[in-house]
Amino acid sequence: RRGSSFSSPVVDPAACSHVNGFKVDNWKQNLRVIYRCFVWSGSAETRKRKAKSCVCHVCGAHLSRLHSCLYCVFFGCFAKKHIHEHAKSKRHNLAIDLLYGGIYCFVCQDYIYDKDMEQIAKEEQRKAWKLQAHLFAPAGIGERYSTWEPTKRELELLQHNPKRRRITTNCTIGLRGLINLGNTCFMNCIVQALTHTPLLRDFFLSDRHKCEMKPNSCLVCEMSQLFQEFYSGHRSPHIPFRLLHLVWTHARHLAGYEQQDAHEFLIAALDVLHRHCKGDDNGKKANNPNHCNCIIDQIFTGGLQSDVTCQVCHGVSTTIDPFWDISLDLPGSSTPFWPLSPGSDGSVVNGESQMSGATTLTDCLRRFTRPEHLGSSAKIKCSGCHSYQESTKQLTMKKLPIVACFHLKRFEHSAKLRRKITTYVSFPLELDMTPFMASSKESRMNGQYQQSMDTLNNDNKYSLFAVVNHQGTLESGHYTTFIRQHKDQWFKCDDAIITKASIKDVLDSEGYLLFYHKQFLEYE
């Protein structure tokens, strides 16, 4: 196939014999004209011509994978098999995909690879790119996307080494301990969670960061190096001294060898990474000056909707703020906690097996998104009443991030006391955030979400992939992390020591930071 440029040159399959019927007279020139006018369309004139003329001759559709016959002037839908009917009746065995340029053989019933045709396609595509780059450079249109192809040296290596390294279920690549540099377990546990964040891993291992900072001062460059270290296959513990130095440099409040809060470190690390990513191409593309399109924002940023409703005229004032994590109150804190859900009697809600009386993550999210009466001491100026009125406030999720991080507020700091809350909170392996979306707000009655067809929305479903835990007291404690490997295998990371863990070990843990990844973006 055209998209499989890796396999075609390596395997070197026998060329499709049916192309010989097309390779007569001026076939090269004819093929160039088709690519130039109907596929790549580099100039404004050819694009207009393509838009007007490239419609299915049977049904008139523009889409449905339009193909052009290589033997005559005929355009037909591939999806509706109009091009197939033409090929069968006229015995015209070859057609070209007008979107991607691939050549399809109706006898072989597959896209074919022909060296001569591929060369013509590449040459015409390069010409079109040059025209587009010249015409649309100011608008940023016409970016060049090219498929990877192996070099001659790489082909030789692949041919002489038929055995390929494959990821197996017992593979340990990506698992690596981190040396504690003196009360730095708060940093090590967050590094383990970030290096096992699927999309972040893919970004750094594909070398996407383009640095514009001074050498040895960019945290993103150091994170990139850290990912290389983690996935190099080395088993000896890594010493993250450069990372620690950069954190101290760019987040002064974390400097020193005192024990720090892992949640505070996570937010500081995301903030520095976000600031250092702004030089990347993606970061520059954001049109809104208040929103960045860097990899950190793409993965971790969600939108929190706040609706303030006037109790007199019922007018609603709505604001949407970005967030990197959601901090949730727990029972046992000095903040009044919302009553547990009616189903907490051993039933299963949102994938959580609820022990009688046990608090669940769903309970915490229900409390977080419930309407709250602000009271007479916090009146707001209503734009409808033109005076200060009592109101209610409700938080919901307007936009969900790819990675949802939940911070269970176990450390309480108030004027009267400083303590750690050890309340057990049950959290699920799979989480559906649909009940907490702004779009689901109308389905609520008295703070309870009424089940509907919205729960079938897979975009809102998440899988747990990392859990950060804190053992000990507020003054003296230790952080560890559970991370997921290969969909269903879990490991406990305790600084330099990594041990296999069961799902029960994970779900029975106290839980301080919970990391969930959108399911539909996950893959092996």
Side-chain angles (χ1 to χ4, degrees), residues 7 137 185 187 261 271 327-329 332 338 371-372 404 460 468 480 506:
S7 58
C185 58
M187 176 181 76
D261 180 16
D271 179 57
S327 293
L328 300 170
D329 288 315
W338 194 48
E372 179 185 4
N460 302 337
V468 172
T480 58
V506 178

Side-chain angles (χ1 to χ4, degrees), residues 111-362:
Y111 289 93
I112 61 169
Y113 175 84
D114 180 86
K115 191 175 180 181
D116 298 330
M117 289 180 162
E118 189 79 359
Q119 186 62 35
I120 291 171
K122 284 180 183 176
E123 289 172 5
E124 293 303 323
Q125 190 177 38
R126 287 193 194 103
K127 291 177 186 176
W129 275 336
K130 286 181 181 178
L131 281 170
Q132 289 175 5
H134 174 70
L135 291 171
F136 297 105
I141 300 172
E143 290 185 48
R144 174 173 174 165
Y145 292 99
S146 57
T147 55
W148 171 82
E149 291 193 18
T151 63
K152 287 184 179 180
R153 174 61 180 152
E154 287 169 335
L155 287 174
E156 290 173 8
L157 288 170
L158 288 167
Q159 286 168 345
H160 289 106
N161 297 277
K163 289 186 177 180
R164 305 283 189 270
R165 173 178 255 186
R166 299 180 187 276
I167 300 296
T168 58
T169 53
N170 60 352
C171 178
T172 59
I173 291 179
L175 296 173
R176 196 167 182 188
L178 290 164
I179 296 293
N180 192 317
L181 300 172
N183 283 330
T184 57
C185 58
F186 71 93
M187 176 181 76
N188 291 349
C189 70
I190 297 302
V191 168
Q192 291 288 0
L194 292 179
T195 50
H196 288 89
T197 300
L199 284 188
L200 200 62
R201 173 199 64 199
D202 296 344
F203 174 84
F204 281 112
L205 292 184
S206 58
D207 213 16
R208 296 286 299 279
H209 173 57
K210 296 173 185 175
C211 189
E212 294 185 358
M213 295 183 66
K214 293 179 182 177
N216 303 319
S217 65
C218 178
L219 188 67
V220 187
C221 290
E222 180 53 35
M223 282 297 292
S224 182
Q225 184 60 38
L226 201 65
F227 273 86
Q228 300 296 332
E229 290 286 349
F230 262 74
Y231 291 90
S232 64
H234 296 307
R235 297 189 177 186
S236 58
H238 178 65
I239 307 172
F241 65 93
R242 285 194 303 270
L243 178 69
L244 183 64
H245 172 71
L246 283 172
V247 169
W248 285 359
T249 303
H250 297 290
R252 297 280 184 185
H253 62 290
L254 296 174
Y257 287 103
E258 295 82 13
Q259 179 63 273
Q260 304 286 352
D261 180 16
H263 173 247
E264 191 176 359
F265 176 82
L266 169 67
I267 300 304
L270 292 180
D271 179 57
V272 177
L273 286 168
H274 154 74
R275 284 190 274 123
H276 289 194
C277 272
K278 284 186 176 178
D280 285 357
D281 290 343
N282 283 339
K284 290 175 180 175
K285 287 176 188 171
N287 295 323
N288 182 352
N290 297 319
H291 176 70
C292 176
N293 198 35
C294 72
I295 189 63
I296 299 302
D297 280 295
Q298 286 185 52
I299 294 175
F300 293 95
T301 299
L304 190 65
Q305 180 169 316
S306 173
D307 294 316
V308 178
T309 306
C310 174
Q311 293 298 283
V312 177
C313 71
H314 302 293
V316 180
S317 173
T318 299
T319 57
I320 299 170
D321 296 305
F323 68 87
W324 278 334
D325 73 316
I326 299 164
S327 293
L328 300 170
D329 288 315
L330 302 180
S333 68
S334 57
T335 307
F337 198 79
W338 194 48
L340 297 178
S341 60
S344 57
D345 53 359
S347 60
V348 175
V349 177
N350 206 355
E352 292 166 306
S353 178
Q354 297 184 316
M355 305 295 289
S356 181
T359 304
T360 69
L361 178 62
T362 306

